[in-house]
Amino acid sequence: DVRNNANAAWAEGYIESCAAQGIVSGVGGGKFAPNGNVTGVQLAKMLLVSLGYKSENEGFTGNAWATNVNMRAAQKGLYKGLEKMDTSAAITRDNAAQMVWNALQAYEVEYKTTLVTDSKGQLSSQVTVQDKVVGSNNDKITMLRDKYDAWVSVGTLISVDGKNLQISMTPADAAASDYSVTKNNGASYENLTFTKLDQDYSALLGQKIKVVFKNGKTNDVIGVYATGDNNSYTVNASDVENDKGDIKFNDKTYKVELNTSKKLDTYVDGKVADGKSVADLVAMNNTANVLTLIDTNDNDKIDTVYVKTVTVEKVTYASSSQIVAGGKTYKYADENIASGVKKDDWVVISENN
């Protein structure tokens, strides 16, 4: 149903390539159903083979193939974020994209053959599968890095400055990263700076993020996104209350996790700042500041606060080139100022990271 089939001409090259690599084997009877739907478990099988699994070793063919595929797929995290998906149903585009992305971040595997001796002294070979290792350090390698030379570093976003950002890394972050730099004789890790970004990621300040970059070059960033370990809440500072040392807003109380200085890790307008206590946050009640309260490790305790300082001022002078508000001059050439601002207007002023 592929060759000499005008309706399947678009698929022939892909099927030839994937069949040659064992990624697809068809739906039976020598057919591939190029215009049919693909189920979640079928896609999982293709991705597992792409990661290095062999169908004949893993039982990805035969009556129990779906059970065996689902087991391996769950082990490799292919269904992360898709736990409620019916793997036997036709997969949707968004779920397919999620599965492919999960596979790209999974470690590739390889088979290892060892000789073992049985109770009668007879030698036999034993084949086991393990995460693939490369280089002199026997590092594991993801499909994303191996096939596309895209590296990933994990850390907490601690600074945004124009087109640059910086992350801090814990030992756990470094273990999950393709790139990190040690300091203090290997006892800790340097902060990493990434440059030449094409958009503003300040909304992620204080959160655990992944930075994807090309060929190990920190000035060639492909993308930045928050990991699933974060829970964040954005609230006006005027709405925050102190509930016996915990934070209350929107009629709900959230427990806090303070650092060794008995403070929340704090960032103000894109920069690391001195830590703030719950009382310090409540002291901002008479400001227009906006707070993003973050649980960075998914333990239901707020440990980080990002403060966006906001001032409200009356315009005392306005011209075509500048305005004066709160005793400070702002020039149209230097700032992002809304057009049409006039004397005696009230304006909201915040940092543009």
Side-chain angles (χ1 to χ4, degrees):
D1 60 347
V2 179
R3 289 198 181 101
N4 302 315
N5 180 351
N7 292 328
W10 66 271
E12 184 171 349
Y14 298 105
I15 291 174
E16 289 283 6
S17 177
C18 289
Q21 298 174 73
I23 294 172
V24 297
S25 56
V27 296
K31 295 185 177 183
F32 289 86
N35 293 313
N37 290 322
V38 173
T39 66
V41 69
Q42 286 173 336
L43 177 58
K45 184 260 185 179
M46 300 179 204
L47 294 172
L48 289 169
V49 174
S50 299
L51 285 167
Y53 287 101
K54 295 180 179 179
S55 292
E56 60 272 24
N57 290 32
E58 304 296 330
F60 291 167
T61 58
N63 294 334
W65 76 273
T67 300
N68 295 331
V69 166
N70 280 330
M71 181 184 68
R72 281 297 191 195
Q75 289 174 347
K76 295 300 285 186
L78 300 192
Y79 295 145
K80 184 178 180 181
L82 303 170
E83 288 79 6
K84 295 182 181 180
M85 180 181 70
D86 180 358
T87 62
S88 63
I91 194 167
T92 57
R93 284 176 177 266
D94 55 342
N95 286 354
Q98 181 68 63
M99 280 184 63
V100 172
W101 182 234
N102 290 345
L104 285 168
Q105 295 181 94
Y107 291 124
E108 293 181 333
V109 300
E110 60 186 354
Y111 288 88
K112 183 178 181 181
T113 302
T114 55
L115 292 176
V116 295
T117 305
D118 62 20
S119 58
K120 298 180 180 179
Q122 299 295 316
L123 285 175
S124 62
S125 60
Q126 185 178 66
V127 179
T128 55
V129 66
Q130 63 183 26
D131 288 333
K132 183 178 178 180
V133 293
V134 297
S136 58
N137 294 327
N138 287 332
D139 293 324
K140 298 177 182 180
I141 189 167
T142 63
M143 183 157 58
L144 186 66
R145 181 168 175 188
D146 187 24
K147 298 297 191 294
Y148 299 97
D149 205 15
W151 299 37
V152 176
S153 285
V154 182
T156 298
L157 179 55
I158 61 172
S159 174
V160 175
D161 183 8
K163 294 185 177 181
N164 305 331
L165 64 79
Q166 190 175 70
I167 64 173
S168 65
M169 304 182 77
T170 65
D173 294 334
S177 299
D178 293 316
Y179 177 70
S180 59
V181 179
T182 60
K183 64 180 181 179
N184 299 328
N185 295 321
S188 56
Y189 294 87
E190 296 275 3
N191 294 337
L192 297 183
T193 299
F194 298 88
T195 61
K196 299 183 179 180
L197 279 78
D198 60 359
Q199 58 182 292
D200 177 14
Y201 290 103
S202 57
L204 300 178
L205 272 162
Q207 297 191 44
K208 189 77 71 176
I209 64 170
K210 286 187 177 182
V211 184
V212 186
F213 52 106
K214 193 73 172 175
N215 194 28
K217 297 177 180 177
T218 56
N219 63 353
D220 193 0
V221 174
I222 299 170
V224 177
Y225 64 98
T227 70
D229 297 328
N230 304 287
N231 292 306
S232 65
Y233 313 90
T234 298
V235 61
N236 294 323
S238 56
D239 294 332
V240 171
E241 302 175 51
N242 188 338
D243 185 1
K244 300 177 182 178
D246 292 322
I247 297 176
K248 183 178 181 180
F249 56 90
N250 296 336
D251 296 323
K252 184 175 180 180
T253 298
Y254 298 82
K255 292 190 176 297
V256 298
E257 184 174 55
L258 305 178
N259 59 26
T260 54
S261 300
K262 305 299 181 183
K263 305 279 187 176
L264 295 168
D265 291 336
T266 304
Y267 306 86
V268 178
D269 293 331
K271 304 295 181 184
V272 178
D274 292 337
K276 294 191 180 297
S277 65
V278 176
D280 293 331
L281 300 183
V282 173
M284 296 183 191
N285 279 168
N286 63 341
T287 72
N289 291 350
V290 176
L291 309 179
T292 300
L293 304 163
I294 308 165
D295 165 18
T296 63
N297 54 13
D298 201 23
N299 67 351
D300 294 325
K301 294 181 180 179
I302 291 170
D303 51 63
T304 301
V305 58
Y306 168 52
V307 181
K308 178 181 180 181
T309 57
V310 179
T311 58
V312 181
E313 301 287 357
K314 191 173 185 178
V315 177
T316 56
Y317 172 83
S319 71
S320 60
S321 61
Q322 65 187 33
I323 66 171
V324 177
K328 185 176 178 180
T329 299
Y330 300 91
K331 296 182 179 180
Y332 278 91
D334 300 330
E335 315 287 354
N336 294 326
I337 304 175
S339 60
V341 175
K342 301 181 181 68
K343 183 176 181 293
D344 294 330
D345 283 348
W346 288 87
V347 291
V348 173
I349 306 167
S350 61
E351 288 285 338
N352 175 16
N353 294 314

